[in-house]
mmCIF file of all heavy atoms in Angstrom:
data_model
loop_
_atom_site.group_PDB
_atom_site.id
_atom_site.type_symbol
_atom_site.label_atom_id
_atom_site.label_comp_id
_atom_site.label_asym_id
_atom_site.label_seq_id
_atom_site.Cartn_x
_atom_site.Cartn_y
_atom_site.Cartn_z
ATOM 1 N N SER A 91 -53.397 -3.214 16.168
ATOM 2 C CA SER A 91 -53.768 -2.140 15.324
ATOM 3 C C SER A 91 -55.230 -1.819 15.388
ATOM 4 O O SER A 91 -55.667 -0.706 14.907
ATOM 5 C CB SER A 91 -53.347 -2.464 13.888
ATOM 6 O OG SER A 91 -54.094 -3.577 13.366
ATOM 7 N N GLY A 92 -56.059 -2.756 15.782
ATOM 8 C CA GLY A 92 -57.537 -2.598 15.744
ATOM 9 C C GLY A 92 -58.072 -3.140 14.405
ATOM 10 O O GLY A 92 -59.329 -2.988 14.151
ATOM 11 N N ILE A 93 -57.270 -3.745 13.529
ATOM 12 C CA ILE A 93 -57.784 -4.409 12.395
ATOM 13 C C ILE A 93 -58.754 -5.496 12.759
ATOM 14 O O ILE A 93 -59.776 -5.700 12.137
ATOM 15 C CB ILE A 93 -56.619 -4.971 11.540
ATOM 16 C CG1 ILE A 93 -55.763 -3.877 10.931
ATOM 17 C CG2 ILE A 93 -57.158 -5.848 10.413
ATOM 18 C CD1 ILE A 93 -54.554 -4.310 10.174
ATOM 19 N N VAL A 94 -58.370 -6.207 13.828
ATOM 20 C CA VAL A 94 -59.418 -7.110 14.498
ATOM 21 C C VAL A 94 -59.930 -6.363 15.669
ATOM 22 O O VAL A 94 -59.167 -6.253 16.765
ATOM 23 C CB VAL A 94 -58.745 -8.421 14.924
ATOM 24 C CG1 VAL A 94 -59.797 -9.373 15.569
ATOM 25 C CG2 VAL A 94 -58.113 -9.127 13.729
ATOM 26 N N PRO A 95 -61.072 -5.780 15.653
ATOM 27 C CA PRO A 95 -61.607 -4.910 16.805
ATOM 28 C C PRO A 95 -61.702 -5.705 18.080
ATOM 29 O O PRO A 95 -62.009 -6.868 18.087
ATOM 30 C CB PRO A 95 -62.933 -4.433 16.320
ATOM 31 C CG PRO A 95 -62.942 -4.653 14.833
ATOM 32 C CD PRO A 95 -62.047 -5.880 14.592
ATOM 33 N N THR A 96 -61.494 -5.047 19.228
ATOM 34 C CA THR A 96 -61.641 -5.699 20.493
ATOM 35 C C THR A 96 -63.086 -6.114 20.692
ATOM 36 O O THR A 96 -63.322 -7.112 21.510
ATOM 37 C CB THR A 96 -61.229 -4.772 21.654
ATOM 38 O OG1 THR A 96 -61.948 -3.547 21.519
ATOM 39 C CG2 THR A 96 -59.709 -4.467 21.556
ATOM 40 N N ALA A 97 -64.073 -5.451 20.073
ATOM 41 C CA ALA A 97 -65.442 -5.807 20.304
ATOM 42 C C ALA A 97 -65.852 -7.015 19.464
ATOM 43 O O ALA A 97 -66.940 -7.538 19.647
ATOM 44 C CB ALA A 97 -66.313 -4.635 19.953
ATOM 45 N N SER A 98 -65.009 -7.469 18.538
ATOM 46 C CA SER A 98 -65.349 -8.569 17.680
ATOM 47 C C SER A 98 -65.307 -9.909 18.417
ATOM 48 O O SER A 98 -64.496 -10.123 19.315
ATOM 49 C CB SER A 98 -64.312 -8.662 16.504
ATOM 50 O OG SER A 98 -64.519 -9.830 15.792
ATOM 51 N N PRO A 99 -66.313 -10.784 18.127
ATOM 52 C CA PRO A 99 -66.330 -12.118 18.843
ATOM 53 C C PRO A 99 -65.021 -12.894 18.538
ATOM 54 O O PRO A 99 -64.675 -13.803 19.335
ATOM 55 C CB PRO A 99 -67.516 -12.760 18.226
ATOM 56 C CG PRO A 99 -68.373 -11.690 17.727
ATOM 57 C CD PRO A 99 -67.458 -10.634 17.246
ATOM 58 N N ALA A 100 -64.347 -12.624 17.401
ATOM 59 C CA ALA A 100 -63.070 -13.367 17.068
ATOM 60 C C ALA A 100 -61.875 -12.836 17.827
ATOM 61 O O ALA A 100 -60.835 -13.478 17.813
ATOM 62 C CB ALA A 100 -62.910 -13.248 15.586
ATOM 63 N N TYR A 101 -61.934 -11.634 18.435
ATOM 64 C CA TYR A 101 -60.822 -11.061 19.045
ATOM 65 C C TYR A 101 -60.170 -11.973 20.104
ATOM 66 O O TYR A 101 -58.879 -12.060 20.106
ATOM 67 C CB TYR A 101 -61.116 -9.640 19.612
ATOM 68 C CG TYR A 101 -59.954 -8.982 20.203
ATOM 69 C CD1 TYR A 101 -59.114 -8.208 19.434
ATOM 70 C CD2 TYR A 101 -59.706 -9.059 21.607
ATOM 71 C CE1 TYR A 101 -57.998 -7.602 19.971
ATOM 72 C CE2 TYR A 101 -58.605 -8.384 22.135
ATOM 73 C CZ TYR A 101 -57.750 -7.670 21.345
ATOM 74 O OH TYR A 101 -56.675 -7.021 21.863
ATOM 75 N N PRO A 102 -60.905 -12.516 20.997
ATOM 76 C CA PRO A 102 -60.257 -13.427 22.028
ATOM 77 C C PRO A 102 -59.445 -14.608 21.406
ATOM 78 O O PRO A 102 -58.412 -14.947 21.867
ATOM 79 C CB PRO A 102 -61.412 -13.953 22.812
ATOM 80 C CG PRO A 102 -62.526 -12.975 22.661
ATOM 81 C CD PRO A 102 -62.376 -12.462 21.273
ATOM 82 N N TYR A 103 -59.946 -15.079 20.299
ATOM 83 C CA TYR A 103 -59.210 -16.190 19.634
ATOM 84 C C TYR A 103 -57.899 -15.673 18.974
ATOM 85 O O TYR A 103 -56.926 -16.347 18.969
ATOM 86 C CB TYR A 103 -60.120 -16.874 18.609
ATOM 87 C CG TYR A 103 -61.331 -17.453 19.264
ATOM 88 C CD1 TYR A 103 -62.554 -16.753 19.303
ATOM 89 C CD2 TYR A 103 -61.340 -18.693 19.864
ATOM 90 C CE1 TYR A 103 -63.692 -17.278 19.862
ATOM 91 C CE2 TYR A 103 -62.404 -19.226 20.477
ATOM 92 C CZ TYR A 103 -63.613 -18.524 20.483
ATOM 93 O OH TYR A 103 -64.691 -19.085 21.125
ATOM 94 N N PHE A 104 -57.972 -14.455 18.362
ATOM 95 C CA PHE A 104 -56.766 -13.903 17.762
ATOM 96 C C PHE A 104 -55.750 -13.616 18.906
ATOM 97 O O PHE A 104 -54.586 -13.804 18.755
ATOM 98 C CB PHE A 104 -57.109 -12.628 17.018
ATOM 99 C CG PHE A 104 -57.526 -12.888 15.594
ATOM 100 C CD1 PHE A 104 -58.893 -13.033 15.272
ATOM 101 C CD2 PHE A 104 -56.646 -12.883 14.603
ATOM 102 C CE1 PHE A 104 -59.262 -13.288 14.013
ATOM 103 C CE2 PHE A 104 -57.018 -13.102 13.267
ATOM 104 C CZ PHE A 104 -58.347 -13.349 13.014
ATOM 105 N N ALA A 105 -56.263 -13.046 19.997
ATOM 106 C CA ALA A 105 -55.392 -12.807 21.137
ATOM 107 C C ALA A 105 -54.741 -14.117 21.703
ATOM 108 O O ALA A 105 -53.598 -14.158 22.054
ATOM 109 C CB ALA A 105 -56.068 -12.055 22.293
ATOM 110 N N ALA A 106 -55.559 -15.167 21.756
ATOM 111 C CA ALA A 106 -55.028 -16.448 22.191
ATOM 112 C C ALA A 106 -53.934 -17.033 21.256
ATOM 113 O O ALA A 106 -52.987 -17.527 21.701
ATOM 114 C CB ALA A 106 -56.171 -17.452 22.395
ATOM 115 N N ILE A 107 -54.241 -16.863 19.949
ATOM 116 C CA ILE A 107 -53.241 -17.339 18.959
ATOM 117 C C ILE A 107 -51.923 -16.504 19.056
ATOM 118 O O ILE A 107 -50.830 -17.047 18.941
ATOM 119 C CB ILE A 107 -53.810 -17.231 17.520
ATOM 120 C CG1 ILE A 107 -54.989 -18.260 17.374
ATOM 121 C CG2 ILE A 107 -52.774 -17.537 16.508
ATOM 122 C CD1 ILE A 107 -55.708 -18.033 16.105
ATOM 123 N N HIS A 108 -52.061 -15.253 19.363
ATOM 124 C CA HIS A 108 -50.912 -14.436 19.526
ATOM 125 C C HIS A 108 -50.078 -14.806 20.771
ATOM 126 O O HIS A 108 -48.816 -14.916 20.655
ATOM 127 C CB HIS A 108 -51.351 -12.947 19.727
ATOM 128 C CG HIS A 108 -50.233 -12.049 20.156
ATOM 129 N ND1 HIS A 108 -50.145 -11.438 21.407
ATOM 130 C CD2 HIS A 108 -49.143 -11.534 19.509
ATOM 131 C CE1 HIS A 108 -49.022 -10.766 21.524
ATOM 132 N NE2 HIS A 108 -48.383 -10.790 20.360
ATOM 133 N N ILE A 109 -50.757 -15.178 21.843
ATOM 134 C CA ILE A 109 -49.992 -15.714 22.976
ATOM 135 C C ILE A 109 -49.378 -17.022 22.727
ATOM 136 O O ILE A 109 -48.219 -17.323 23.123
ATOM 137 C CB ILE A 109 -51.002 -15.820 24.228
ATOM 138 C CG1 ILE A 109 -51.452 -14.433 24.650
ATOM 139 C CG2 ILE A 109 -50.356 -16.545 25.378
ATOM 140 C CD1 ILE A 109 -52.520 -14.445 25.693
ATOM 141 N N GLY A 110 -50.113 -17.891 22.017
ATOM 142 C CA GLY A 110 -49.645 -19.238 21.668
ATOM 143 C C GLY A 110 -48.364 -19.146 20.794
ATOM 144 O O GLY A 110 -47.399 -19.879 21.001
ATOM 145 N N LEU A 111 -48.327 -18.249 19.811
ATOM 146 C CA LEU A 111 -47.223 -18.147 18.950
ATOM 147 C C LEU A 111 -46.050 -17.513 19.659
ATOM 148 O O LEU A 111 -44.862 -17.939 19.433
ATOM 149 C CB LEU A 111 -47.595 -17.292 17.738
ATOM 150 C CG LEU A 111 -48.462 -17.848 16.674
ATOM 151 C CD1 LEU A 111 -48.922 -16.858 15.616
ATOM 152 C CD2 LEU A 111 -47.818 -19.067 15.958
ATOM 153 N N GLY A 112 -46.312 -16.587 20.584
ATOM 154 C CA GLY A 112 -45.243 -16.016 21.373
ATOM 155 C C GLY A 112 -44.532 -17.081 22.250
ATOM 156 O O GLY A 112 -43.338 -17.096 22.345
ATOM 157 N N MET A 113 -45.371 -17.880 22.863
ATOM 158 C CA MET A 113 -44.818 -18.998 23.667
ATOM 159 C C MET A 113 -44.031 -19.993 22.868
ATOM 160 O O MET A 113 -42.961 -20.509 23.316
ATOM 161 C CB MET A 113 -45.897 -19.603 24.548
ATOM 162 C CG MET A 113 -46.495 -18.723 25.680
ATOM 163 S SD MET A 113 -45.246 -18.251 26.835
ATOM 164 C CE MET A 113 -44.853 -19.831 27.610
ATOM 165 N N ALA A 114 -44.582 -20.369 21.686
ATOM 166 C CA ALA A 114 -43.890 -21.311 20.821
ATOM 167 C C ALA A 114 -42.571 -20.747 20.346
ATOM 168 O O ALA A 114 -41.568 -21.455 20.172
ATOM 169 C CB ALA A 114 -44.807 -21.629 19.630
ATOM 170 N N THR A 115 -42.563 -19.420 20.135
ATOM 171 C CA THR A 115 -41.268 -18.741 19.711
ATOM 172 C C THR A 115 -40.247 -18.934 20.813
ATOM 173 O O THR A 115 -39.052 -19.209 20.539
ATOM 174 C CB THR A 115 -41.529 -17.297 19.381
ATOM 175 O OG1 THR A 115 -42.501 -17.166 18.384
ATOM 176 C CG2 THR A 115 -40.235 -16.581 18.934
ATOM 177 N N LEU A 116 -40.619 -18.577 22.102
ATOM 178 C CA LEU A 116 -39.621 -18.773 23.185
ATOM 179 C C LEU A 116 -39.244 -20.177 23.354
ATOM 180 O O LEU A 116 -38.121 -20.468 23.718
ATOM 181 C CB LEU A 116 -40.279 -18.187 24.404
ATOM 182 C CG LEU A 116 -40.458 -16.671 24.507
ATOM 183 C CD1 LEU A 116 -41.315 -16.252 25.644
ATOM 184 C CD2 LEU A 116 -39.132 -15.998 24.520
ATOM 185 N N TRP A 117 -40.162 -21.133 23.136
ATOM 186 C CA TRP A 117 -39.859 -22.546 23.232
ATOM 187 C C TRP A 117 -38.806 -22.939 22.210
ATOM 188 O O TRP A 117 -37.857 -23.632 22.436
ATOM 189 C CB TRP A 117 -41.072 -23.407 23.145
ATOM 190 C CG TRP A 117 -40.758 -24.899 23.165
ATOM 191 C CD1 TRP A 117 -40.689 -25.653 22.075
ATOM 192 C CD2 TRP A 117 -40.439 -25.692 24.285
ATOM 193 N NE1 TRP A 117 -40.346 -26.994 22.373
ATOM 194 C CE2 TRP A 117 -40.177 -26.953 23.789
ATOM 195 C CE3 TRP A 117 -40.357 -25.425 25.643
ATOM 196 C CZ2 TRP A 117 -39.793 -28.030 24.647
ATOM 197 C CZ3 TRP A 117 -39.992 -26.513 26.490
ATOM 198 C CH2 TRP A 117 -39.761 -27.784 25.975
ATOM 199 N N ALA A 118 -39.002 -22.450 20.931
ATOM 200 C CA ALA A 118 -38.073 -22.755 19.859
ATOM 201 C C ALA A 118 -36.695 -22.197 20.195
ATOM 202 O O ALA A 118 -35.632 -22.855 19.942
ATOM 203 C CB ALA A 118 -38.542 -22.163 18.503
ATOM 204 N N LEU A 119 -36.639 -21.001 20.814
ATOM 205 C CA LEU A 119 -35.343 -20.510 21.253
ATOM 206 C C LEU A 119 -34.735 -21.372 22.316
ATOM 207 O O LEU A 119 -33.502 -21.581 22.319
ATOM 208 C CB LEU A 119 -35.565 -19.043 21.868
ATOM 209 C CG LEU A 119 -34.330 -18.333 22.176
ATOM 210 C CD1 LEU A 119 -33.491 -17.932 21.018
ATOM 211 C CD2 LEU A 119 -34.698 -17.006 22.988
ATOM 212 N N PHE A 120 -35.539 -21.845 23.267
ATOM 213 C CA PHE A 120 -35.112 -22.731 24.297
ATOM 214 C C PHE A 120 -34.517 -24.031 23.740
ATOM 215 O O PHE A 120 -33.400 -24.413 24.162
ATOM 216 C CB PHE A 120 -36.300 -23.072 25.201
ATOM 217 C CG PHE A 120 -36.077 -24.235 26.163
ATOM 218 C CD1 PHE A 120 -35.362 -24.076 27.338
ATOM 219 C CD2 PHE A 120 -36.566 -25.487 25.829
ATOM 220 C CE1 PHE A 120 -35.244 -25.138 28.187
ATOM 221 C CE2 PHE A 120 -36.440 -26.557 26.714
ATOM 222 C CZ PHE A 120 -35.731 -26.418 27.907
ATOM 223 N N VAL A 121 -35.171 -24.680 22.778
ATOM 224 C CA VAL A 121 -34.665 -25.863 22.184
ATOM 225 C C VAL A 121 -33.365 -25.618 21.435
ATOM 226 O O VAL A 121 -32.428 -26.408 21.480
ATOM 227 C CB VAL A 121 -35.688 -26.504 21.263
ATOM 228 C CG1 VAL A 121 -35.119 -27.699 20.455
ATOM 229 C CG2 VAL A 121 -36.978 -26.918 22.059
ATOM 230 N N ASN A 122 -33.300 -24.439 20.719
ATOM 231 C CA ASN A 122 -32.033 -24.095 20.042
ATOM 232 C C ASN A 122 -30.922 -23.949 20.932
ATOM 233 O O ASN A 122 -29.772 -24.029 20.486
ATOM 234 C CB ASN A 122 -32.278 -22.827 19.219
ATOM 235 C CG ASN A 122 -32.814 -23.102 17.815
ATOM 236 O OD1 ASN A 122 -32.087 -23.540 16.857
ATOM 237 N ND2 ASN A 122 -34.174 -23.032 17.668
ATOM 238 N N GLY A 123 -31.170 -23.660 22.212
ATOM 239 C CA GLY A 123 -30.063 -23.539 23.129
ATOM 240 C C GLY A 123 -29.271 -24.826 23.365
ATOM 241 O O GLY A 123 -28.126 -24.828 23.785
ATOM 242 N N PHE A 124 -29.933 -25.995 23.036
ATOM 243 C CA PHE A 124 -29.278 -27.218 23.274
ATOM 244 C C PHE A 124 -28.754 -27.889 21.979
ATOM 245 O O PHE A 124 -28.007 -28.855 21.988
ATOM 246 C CB PHE A 124 -30.301 -28.263 23.877
ATOM 247 C CG PHE A 124 -30.743 -27.841 25.249
ATOM 248 C CD1 PHE A 124 -31.882 -27.131 25.511
ATOM 249 C CD2 PHE A 124 -29.967 -28.273 26.371
ATOM 250 C CE1 PHE A 124 -32.344 -26.819 26.697
ATOM 251 C CE2 PHE A 124 -30.353 -27.963 27.634
ATOM 252 C CZ PHE A 124 -31.532 -27.149 27.822
ATOM 253 N N VAL A 125 -29.115 -27.266 20.771
ATOM 254 C CA VAL A 125 -28.722 -27.848 19.534
ATOM 255 C C VAL A 125 -27.192 -27.848 19.375
ATOM 256 O O VAL A 125 -26.622 -28.839 18.908
ATOM 257 C CB VAL A 125 -29.372 -27.025 18.387
ATOM 258 C CG1 VAL A 125 -28.720 -27.453 16.947
ATOM 259 C CG2 VAL A 125 -30.860 -27.274 18.327
ATOM 260 N N PRO A 126 -26.420 -26.805 19.790
ATOM 261 C CA PRO A 126 -24.962 -26.819 19.547
ATOM 262 C C PRO A 126 -24.281 -27.977 20.410
ATOM 263 O O PRO A 126 -23.174 -28.349 20.051
ATOM 264 C CB PRO A 126 -24.531 -25.458 20.106
ATOM 265 C CG PRO A 126 -25.691 -24.572 19.965
ATOM 266 C CD PRO A 126 -26.874 -25.514 20.261
ATOM 267 N N PHE A 127 -24.920 -28.469 21.399
ATOM 268 C CA PHE A 127 -24.385 -29.548 22.198
ATOM 269 C C PHE A 127 -24.547 -30.992 21.532
ATOM 270 O O PHE A 127 -24.092 -31.925 22.075
ATOM 271 C CB PHE A 127 -25.036 -29.586 23.608
ATOM 272 C CG PHE A 127 -24.713 -28.356 24.412
ATOM 273 C CD1 PHE A 127 -25.643 -27.311 24.480
ATOM 274 C CD2 PHE A 127 -23.517 -28.215 25.112
ATOM 275 C CE1 PHE A 127 -25.453 -26.221 25.227
ATOM 276 C CE2 PHE A 127 -23.291 -27.074 25.868
ATOM 277 C CZ PHE A 127 -24.220 -26.036 25.904
#
């Protein structure tokens, strides 16, 4: 949205956290694939 501007020094860290949460979400889905077994 630009609430955290791309020119802000904090923007790379917010983008990194976004990537990290996205990967953790997919990992949680992956683990849930084995739970029914």
Side-chain angles (χ1 to χ4, degrees):
S91 64
I93 294 176
V94 180
T96 55
S98 171
Y101 183 83
Y103 299 95
F104 276 89
I107 294 172
H108 171 249
I109 294 173
L111 287 173
M113 290 298 295
T115 303
L116 289 170
W117 175 261
L119 186 68
F120 166 80
V121 174
N122 271 278
F124 295 94
V125 170
F127 296 98

